[in-house]
Amino acid sequence: MLGIRMDHYGDSDPSGLTSTITNDLDTAIERMVVVAVRIIPDIYYIFTALKTIGDYNFVLMISVFLILPIKILNTIFLGRWNYRTQAGVYRKIGSLTGYLSERIKHLSLIKTNANEARELASGEKVIDELYRANMDVVKYGVVSGAVSTVIGVLQNVVTVVFGVICLQRGIIDIKQWIAFFMYAGTLSGKFDSMINYWINFKTIQGGLARIARLVEAPQEQSDNPALLQEMPESRDIVFDHVSFSYGDKTALKDVSFTVKENSFTAIVGLCGSGKTTAIHLIERFYDADEGEVRIGGVDVEKISSRALRKGISLVHQGAGIFGGSLRQVFTYGLDRDVTDEEILAVAERTGALDYIRDLPQGLDTVVAAEGTSMSGGQRQRLVLTREMLRNTQILLLDEPTAALDAVACQKVKTAIQEAAKDKTVIMVTHDLYLLDIADQVIVLENGCLQKQGTPEELSGIIERYAEVCPCED
Amino acid sequence: MRRLKKYLTIFKDVKIPWILLMIYLVLSMISSHMEVGAMTMTASIIDASQNAIRSDELIEYISVIAVSGILTIATGYLSGISLNTINRGVRVKLWNKIMRLPLSTNDLDNGAGLITRVTTDADASSQYVNMFFSLMTTAYGAVISLQQLFKFNIKMSNMFLLLVPWALLVGVFNCKFSYKAGAFYRKTVSELMAYLSERVRNFKLIKSTVSEKQEKDHGNDKVRRVYKAGLINIGVGQFEGVCEDLLSLANLIICFVYGATLVQSGELSIGRVIGFYSISGMMLIRITQFIMYFGELSKANGTMKRICEIMNTEDEKSEGDHFDYPDEDIVLKNVSFGYKPDKLILKDISCTIPKGKITAVIGPNGAGKTTMFKLLERIYTPDSGAIYYGERNIAEFALEGWRSAFSIVSQDNMVMSGTVRENICYGVTRNVTDEELIAVAKRAHCYDFIMETPGGFDAEMGMDGSNFSGGQRQCIAIARAMMRNPDYLLLDESTSNLDVKSEKIITEALSNLMKGKTTVMIAHNYSAAKMADYIIILKDGQIDAVGTPEQLKDHSYFQVFSKRGV
């Protein structure tokens, strides 16, 4: 899955993908193996037992099959009912969880509004619904139990009656009757097993389909020798009549602009105007439908994605990090070795040092998975530090100051200004305060290039296009 | 035993269907008798059939099986109802308890643990009761079976008794080792899942840093660990299976080999050998089951303990004086507080929040502004020092009264699923007319977009208000605050995470709201703090400066602060 293309990833729900790799795979393989291993001995047993009974008497052997059709029907109908009631229970548990998590999250709202009594009542109602769903399962159990009993009784009646008749007619003797009686019992069990194997097989179908889709998903091709394995010398970025859509939703329409080498360009626009898409196209998470994105005069699609991404630092909107020590966070994906002093020096410029200084274990401090032990602002500064450490020629930033307060913002602004002296910097932002150090501002609206120019030229109109967009990560 | 007594407190006040449970017990006992009886009948049928098949015996046999089946269904139904009823009762009790817990418990736990209490942990409590009853019925079944075995033949029963300690041993082994192996396997799987879900959610990071190979190795490592744990788990399971098979084999030998000698000496009939075999086989299973139930009980211990902890946590203190005093200044005197004992967030702060004025609290991230608010809302109490309302310590007032005097609008605009109307009128007990609702919505600048939404005031907000944008949710939260019309307003960064357009609208709505009330606001930028009469600057948990905007114009932080924003 690591190799798949970003557009396929974007189409799938991340938790669904995780579940595919773990649960689906687990259940599918477990069931396939169980079936494969057990089905052969079971088939062998059934054949041998039937043959033995058949040796006693042919009619006797047929009698064993009499109950089979009823069993199959029973499994199908009751199986469906069972599935529905179980699904009902899971749904109710889900809605109870959803209801509770919302209420608990807003518990202070409930308390400050002194609304406890009413919330208690509505909570009880939801709990009652779960109770009723569970009772449905019990009722199902009653009915299925009754049906099983009836089938079991019928089974016994048939075997006993047939056996007695044969015995009385002298067709079989008492030893054979006893053997037949016991065989009938075990055969009944084996038939049940066979039906279960079939059911198992059907249940894993869904999971197998999802796994197959993942395995067959188109891969990114990095090792194609036709691609350039190194970034071009000059680092100006050009969008040449670029259009791109996510499915049928247009994100960029015929957008053209140039970002000169070693300059700072800001991209602004309302939500959904295509700002983040532009960044994605430079990184080649997606390929343009029409037009070209060029770096140093070379179409990005002609550069291997490996070389391309190694040459670009991306501070993306979610400011994602992986758990581990702070040192690991800072050096994630870094090819060269860095000393602690180097890390701290860059951290000083971005303001992340303030946070590190207070930690007793410094760079060895362990950060929780996805950085949940830190505030959004702290994470943003860490991620900025990481990308600055990477020290590539191109720096892309997507809303790098959304969670920062006034003073921290000021520091970041200075750091970016410094960086722009020898890097090509593109920043998507809604924060008007950061725009006055930009060399160029690009305004996007509904995927089209609306305005382009220096901050002074656009000073009256930029305000209209500043909007905070929800993070898509 | 002491533990059991503690667990009993969980069920206090929960309606337990005693009668149903008693009937269940009785029926289970009868059912065990029937089961054993059926197998005994097989024995005599087989014996009798040496001469002839007596049809009335056969009919009796089939009716015993039928009755046995009915009893199984009945006991299943009864236990189902009883357990679900207990389940529901415990859940409701837990939900009630959570409502009364002090807000500080919720903060630390982050809520997720509390939810599990009510959903899955409550299940564990009824399972506990279930296991108890299962223990009793299994034991009873085993005793009856043993009785019958002795009735069949004493010598063979004595031989059989030799197997009992082994069966017990297998049960104990199963409890200890397979539980540990299973738990270890589940741990490695959950580590793998946690790793995968973290990576999958941040796919962009892996791709943009070209770290695919590292992650591949990392992932393979985790998968290998799962593999090894799985092997151990299976190994243990197989070993246990082998032991059980050996026991059955031993049983087989005792019954048919030793039994054969008894038949030859005329002490036992063939039918009874077969009957003995069936009953003894069942008994072995019962014995291992019995031990396993014990294991289940101890597994549930952890969950029961957690439930007990919650039940025994003290309720939020709600008594106190009635809060109905004329407007006063709120004064913090030497207040210190930390969430953890060794790390103080607020260090000995003293300041005044003047009545009838708008006070803004500003400062860098982590300075303690939100913590100060939590103390004002009395979610936490100061470690030292106190907050005064005029001359009186606010801790003297009843919580409900104190809290109703405040309205809070924060940046995570707490709106919940329900209609727009329900959210705006949340917690309001008086009847709200449509005119009042419309007037409030207009002042909060949300009337227009509500009318544009299909359904208007009756439109659904969606979970956490997801059907509306951030700015719109904020306006609705302000409308709610207006509807309650409190004397005090706490605004916690209520315009952050908003763009310039929305911020302007919200700020206007807020100024409508603030007219004539005492307001304390945490502001993150100047446009929010522009309206303040009085500023408090917090830094590192201490008061850096206080004063009017005029007085602070030379303060370094304030200068940077006021240059930002429009």
Side-chain angles (χ1 to χ4, degrees):
Chain A
M1 191 180 97
L2 282 171
I4 64 172
R5 289 164 52 112
M6 281 303 290
D7 46 7
H8 181 94
Y9 168 76
D11 289 335
S12 326
D13 150 45
S15 50
L17 283 179
T18 319
S19 157
T20 304
I21 301 179
T22 46
N23 288 337
D24 286 347
L25 206 61
D26 248 8
T27 9
I29 299 225
E30 198 180 308
R31 297 206 180 168
M32 283 200 300
V33 169
V34 160
V35 168
V37 165
R38 293 209 193 135
I39 206 171
I40 298 184
D42 280 356
I43 294 183
Y44 178 73
Y45 181 89
I46 293 179
F47 267 109
T48 335
L50 284 176
K51 185 162 170 304
T52 317
I53 299 178
D55 280 345
Y56 298 160
N57 183 276
F58 188 67
V59 173
L60 224 49
M61 182 183 81
I62 300 292
S63 75
V64 173
F65 286 101
L66 282 179
I67 299 294
L68 199 58
I70 303 185
K71 271 191 197 271
I72 295 180
L73 283 173
N74 172 42
T75 319
I76 296 180
F77 286 115
L78 283 190
R80 252 185 234 158
W81 184 10
N82 182 29
Y83 176 73
R84 270 208 311 270
T85 47
Q86 279 297 349
V89 171
Y90 289 140
R91 253 203 322 272
K92 289 299 172 197
I93 292 184
S95 55
L96 181 63
T97 312
Y99 170 87
L100 286 178
S101 50
E102 212 194 13
R103 259 52 185 177
I104 291 182
K105 206 160 53 150
H106 299 307
L107 203 54
S108 48
L109 177 67
I110 300 176
K111 289 205 170 267
T112 51
N113 280 299
N115 210 25
E116 286 100 327
R118 258 176 274 175
E119 291 296 349
L120 276 175
S122 50
E124 280 187 36
K125 237 179 20 184
V126 181
I127 292 177
D128 266 342
E129 281 176 27
L130 180 57
Y131 170 77
R132 275 196 290 272
N134 273 321
M135 284 309 289
D136 281 342
V137 172
V138 171
K139 283 182 206 146
Y140 162 80
V142 166
V143 173
S144 92
V147 173
S148 298
T149 311
V150 169
I151 293 185
V153 167
L154 278 178
Q155 186 100 21
N156 271 298
V157 167
V158 166
T159 28
V160 167
V161 164
F162 266 93
V164 165
I165 294 177
C166 289
L167 193 64
Q168 285 182 331
R169 299 234 184 117
I171 303 180
I172 59 173
D173 63 25
I174 186 67
K175 294 196 286 275
Q176 288 169 326
W177 189 88
I178 296 175
F180 169 65
F181 189 69
M182 301 189 111
Y183 270 129
T186 43
L187 271 178
S188 169
K190 292 294 177 195
F191 281 139
D192 283 337
S193 299
M194 298 299 273
I195 296 179
N196 276 331
Y197 293 152
W198 174 248
I199 296 178
N200 270 344
F201 222 61
K202 296 295 273 176
T203 21
I204 60 178
Q205 254 185 335
L208 282 177
R210 284 193 290 274
I211 297 175
R213 234 186 46 210
L214 190 56
V215 169
E216 287 171 5
Q219 301 272 309
E220 283 194 325
Q221 304 161 306
S222 212
D223 303 320
N224 188 345
L227 300 172
L228 215 59
Q229 295 298 327
E230 256 176 32
M231 283 285 266
E233 272 297 316
S234 90
R235 302 301 163 89
D236 55 298
I237 301 178
V238 172
F239 269 60
D240 191 0
H241 295 288
V242 171
S243 297
F244 177 76
S245 310
Y246 293 102
D248 53 354
K249 206 172 90 161
T250 316
L252 289 175
K253 222 170 10 185
D254 197 28
V255 171
S256 303
F257 60 84
T258 307
V259 175
K260 286 211 272 277
E261 207 175 4
N262 298 341
S263 72
F264 173 20
T265 299
I267 303 183
V268 300
L270 298 173
C271 294
S273 55
K275 305 177 294 199
T276 307
T277 310
I279 302 255
H280 284 172
L281 289 178
I282 303 177
E283 275 269 334
R284 271 201 81 196
F285 283 152
Y286 301 91
D287 287 332
D289 294 333
E290 276 168 36
E292 265 180 23
V293 177
R294 289 196 286 269
I295 298 184
V298 180
D299 183 354
V300 288
E301 291 186 33
K302 299 226 167 59
I303 309 176
S304 87
S305 51
R306 197 169 188 284
L308 182 69
R309 292 173 190 156
K310 278 284 181 194
I312 302 179
S313 297
L314 171 63
V315 175
H316 59 276
Q317 209 178 349
I321 61 172
F322 291 140
S325 75
L326 270 183
R327 198 178 285 107
Q328 285 172 320
V329 168
F330 284 127
T331 54
Y332 188 78
L334 211 53
D335 282 337
R336 62 176 208 277
D337 284 327
V338 287
T339 57
D340 282 2
E341 286 79 39
E342 217 179 318
I343 298 178
L344 295 175
V346 177
E348 210 276 312
R349 283 181 10 229
T350 60
L353 191 60
D354 297 331
Y355 168 65
I356 304 176
R357 251 203 300 254
D358 285 334
L359 298 170
Q361 289 168 315
L363 287 175
D364 290 313
T365 315
V366 170
V367 162
E370 298 190 64
T372 45
S373 54
M374 303 184 290
S375 73
Q378 288 162 340
R379 258 201 349 264
Q380 273 189 321
R381 281 180 285 183
L382 287 187
V383 171
L384 185 60
T385 313
R386 180 185 69 208
E387 297 307 321
M388 295 237 165
L389 261 177
R390 215 182 293 283
N391 207 21
T392 53
Q393 291 294 90
I394 301 180
L395 177 61
L396 304 176
L397 307 137
D398 196 350
E399 299 283 4
T401 58
L404 299 179
D405 69 277
V407 172
C409 233
Q410 170 83 317
K411 253 204 138 126
V412 168
K413 186 170 163 183
T414 320
I416 295 178
Q417 208 171 6
E418 275 295 310
K421 290 197 183 133
D422 60 350
K423 294 189 211 299
T424 312
V425 179
I426 301 184
M427 174 160 74
V428 168
T429 185
H430 77 288
D431 196 342
L432 303 171
Y433 176 58
L434 295 169
L435 295 181
D436 54 0
I437 52 169
D439 298 307
Q440 177 186 215
V441 176
I442 292 178
V443 179
L444 292 178
E445 188 175 11
N446 285 332
C448 300
L449 182 68
Q450 199 69 6
K451 302 251 182 290
Q452 192 177 4
T454 64
E456 294 78 41
E457 287 168 12
L458 302 178
S459 62
I461 23 178
I462 295 188
E463 262 181 53
R464 260 190 287 145
Y465 295 98
E467 189 177 30
V468 174
C469 309
C471 183
E472 265 144 56
D473 288 348
Chain B
M1 256 304 129
R2 228 178 324 133
R3 243 189 298 176
L4 273 178
K5 269 186 143 171
K6 232 180 18 164
Y7 293 165
L8 283 179
T9 56
I10 298 180
F11 300 105
K12 196 171 73 145
D13 298 330
V14 172
K15 196 177 81 170
I16 300 191
W18 289 113
I19 303 181
L20 287 178
L21 285 173
M22 286 301 129
I23 301 181
Y24 164 69
L25 255 185
V26 169
L27 286 185
S28 302
M29 294 200 271
I30 301 180
S31 180
S32 306
H33 277 287
M34 299 246 104
E35 235 180 340
V36 172
M39 292 187 201
T40 317
M41 290 188 91
T42 332
S44 44
I45 291 178
I46 294 179
D47 283 337
S49 58
Q50 302 278 23
N51 312 320
I53 300 284
R54 299 219 314 268
S55 41
D56 49 338
E57 245 185 20
L58 282 177
I59 295 178
E60 212 185 318
Y61 174 69
I62 290 180
S63 42
V64 165
I65 293 193
V67 171
S68 190
I70 295 176
L71 279 177
T72 317
I73 297 172
T75 49
Y77 184 67
L78 283 172
S79 84
I81 298 187
S82 319
L83 291 177
N84 274 324
T85 313
I86 297 179
N87 212 324
R88 174 171 66 170
V90 173
R91 281 217 173 101
V92 168
K93 189 169 170 196
L94 275 172
W95 177 233
N96 270 280
K97 182 66 188 182
I98 289 179
M99 276 290 150
R100 298 197 306 269
L101 283 179
L103 280 171
S104 42
T105 346
N106 178 37
D107 252 8
L108 292 169
D109 207 11
N110 209 28
L114 285 176
I115 299 174
T116 340
R117 298 290 163 277
V118 180
T119 47
T120 42
D121 286 1
D123 265 345
S125 67
S126 62
Q127 277 301 86
Y128 206 75
V129 174
N130 190 21
M131 287 300 146
F132 236 65
F133 279 95
S134 300
L135 269 181
M136 286 196 270
T137 48
T138 316
Y140 187 75
V143 165
I144 304 184
S145 308
L146 201 58
Q147 263 185 336
Q148 184 58 42
L149 289 182
F150 271 98
K151 268 201 213 139
F152 274 155
N153 184 279
I154 299 181
K155 280 198 199 156
M156 203 145 87
S157 301
N158 283 327
M159 289 281 299
F160 174 72
L161 279 181
L162 290 176
L163 289 180
V164 170
W166 293 106
L168 286 171
L169 225 83
V170 170
V172 169
F173 175 83
N174 173 38
C175 274
K176 286 204 145 189
F177 289 104
S178 71
Y179 175 61
K180 281 214 187 106
F184 180 58
Y185 175 69
R186 276 191 299 275
K187 186 159 106 87
T188 51
V189 169
S190 74
E191 275 171 16
L192 175 64
M193 288 220 53
Y195 167 80
L196 284 178
S197 55
E198 200 196 7
R199 264 45 183 182
V200 166
R201 268 203 284 272
N202 270 308
F203 219 47
K204 262 200 235 183
L205 180 58
I206 302 179
K207 291 261 167 203
S208 66
T209 53
V210 197
S211 310
E212 285 100 331
K213 177 148 192 320
Q214 275 155 272
E215 295 301 343
K216 188 164 130 186
D217 291 337
H218 203 164
N220 281 343
D221 186 53
K222 292 249 186 284
V223 170
R224 248 194 306 268
R225 289 175 52 134
V226 171
Y227 171 68
K228 282 198 201 132
L231 279 183
I232 296 178
N233 199 22
I234 294 179
V236 169
Q238 294 299 82
F239 181 67
E240 184 199 315
V242 164
C243 289
E244 279 172 6
D245 285 344
L246 281 177
L247 270 179
S248 301
L249 201 62
N251 190 27
L252 195 76
I253 296 177
I254 291 181
C255 290
F256 289 106
V257 171
Y258 186 58
T261 58
L262 288 176
V263 167
Q264 287 199 313
S265 63
E267 284 173 67
L268 200 57
S269 62
I270 294 185
R272 291 191 163 199
V273 168
I274 296 182
F276 191 95
Y277 176 61
S278 323
I279 298 184
S280 61
M282 199 178 66
M283 231 197 102
L284 281 176
I285 298 178
R286 290 267 186 275
I287 294 176
T288 6
Q289 254 182 357
F290 185 79
I291 304 284
M292 265 168 42
Y293 286 146
F294 251 111
E296 296 287 322
L297 275 182
S298 55
K299 267 191 245 179
N301 260 341
T303 324
M304 298 297 271
K305 223 166 55 164
R306 280 201 303 266
I307 301 181
C308 267
E309 260 170 34
I310 293 233
M311 295 291 195
N312 291 329
T313 315
E314 257 186 68
D315 287 353
E316 203 171 32
K317 190 183 91 148
S318 53
E319 324 79 51
D321 293 337
H322 190 55
F323 181 63
D324 194 12
Y325 290 83
D327 233 2
E328 298 269 15
D329 291 346
I330 298 179
V331 183
L332 280 82
K333 281 199 189 140
N334 302 107
V335 170
S336 295
F337 175 76
Y339 297 104
K340 294 201 223 151
D342 53 345
K343 192 160 184 277
L344 280 181
I345 308 278
L346 294 175
K347 304 168 191 152
D348 197 37
I349 57 171
S350 300
C351 58
T352 306
I353 296 170
K355 65 176 188 238
K357 298 255 191 286
I358 300 175
T359 306
V361 178
I362 66 178
N365 289 351
K369 311 187 293 274
T370 309
T371 310
M372 195 169 110
F373 262 34
K374 293 211 168 117
L375 291 178
L376 284 173
E377 291 173 53
R378 289 178 63 193
I379 296 178
Y380 292 95
T381 40
D383 290 337
S384 60
I387 304 181
Y388 291 88
Y389 180 75
E391 295 296 305
R392 307 190 53 173
N393 190 330
I394 62 176
E396 287 170 22
F397 298 113
L399 268 181
E400 194 178 318
W402 174 259
R403 289 194 181 139
S404 337
F406 285 81
S407 240
I408 303 166
V409 182
S410 59
Q411 57 181 305
D412 50 0
N413 47 60
M414 307 197 271
V415 287
M416 298 200 274
S417 51
T419 63
V420 173
R421 189 192 305 264
E422 280 167 11
N423 268 280
I424 296 183
C425 301
Y426 194 77
V428 170
T429 41
R430 62 176 201 275
N431 256 330
V432 176
T433 58
D434 274 352
E435 291 86 42
E436 209 181 332
L437 190 60
I438 294 176
V440 165
K442 284 193 176 149
R443 268 173 45 227
H445 286 270
C446 45
Y447 183 68
D448 294 325
F449 72 75
I450 293 179
M451 283 296 118
E452 277 169 26
T453 318
F457 282 103
D458 293 310
E460 276 293 326
M461 299 275 318
M463 182 75 80
D464 285 340
S466 51
N467 290 346
F468 291 86
S469 76
Q472 293 169 331
R473 292 203 294 273
Q474 200 71 313
C475 285
I476 292 180
I478 293 176
R480 176 171 58 216
M482 283 182 181
M483 188 62 81
R484 284 191 63 219
N485 206 19
D487 298 316
Y488 291 87
L489 272 177
L490 292 179
L491 305 174
D492 186 347
E493 302 220 22
S494 34
T495 57
S496 66
N497 294 344
L498 292 175
D499 53 86
V500 175
K501 207 168 48 173
S502 305
E503 194 170 352
K504 275 219 183 101
I505 298 177
I506 307 276
T507 312
E508 271 172 43
L510 280 176
S511 56
N512 281 341
L513 177 61
M514 291 191 279
K515 289 204 179 102
K517 302 194 205 308
T518 309
T519 305
V520 191
M521 63 157 79
I522 295 180
H524 73 296
N525 69 13
Y526 189 61
S527 48
K530 238 185 347 187
M531 314 175 265
D533 302 310
Y534 192 69
I535 312 256
I536 298 177
I537 304 184
L538 268 186
K539 196 167 170 208
D540 282 332
Q542 292 181 304
I543 307 268
D544 207 33
V546 299
T548 63
E550 251 308 298
Q551 292 168 332
L552 292 177
K553 68 178 197 272
D554 295 322
H555 189 276
S556 59
Y557 184 81
F558 192 67
Q559 282 181 331
V560 178
F561 185 77
S562 46
K563 281 217 188 96
R564 304 239 314 114
V566 198

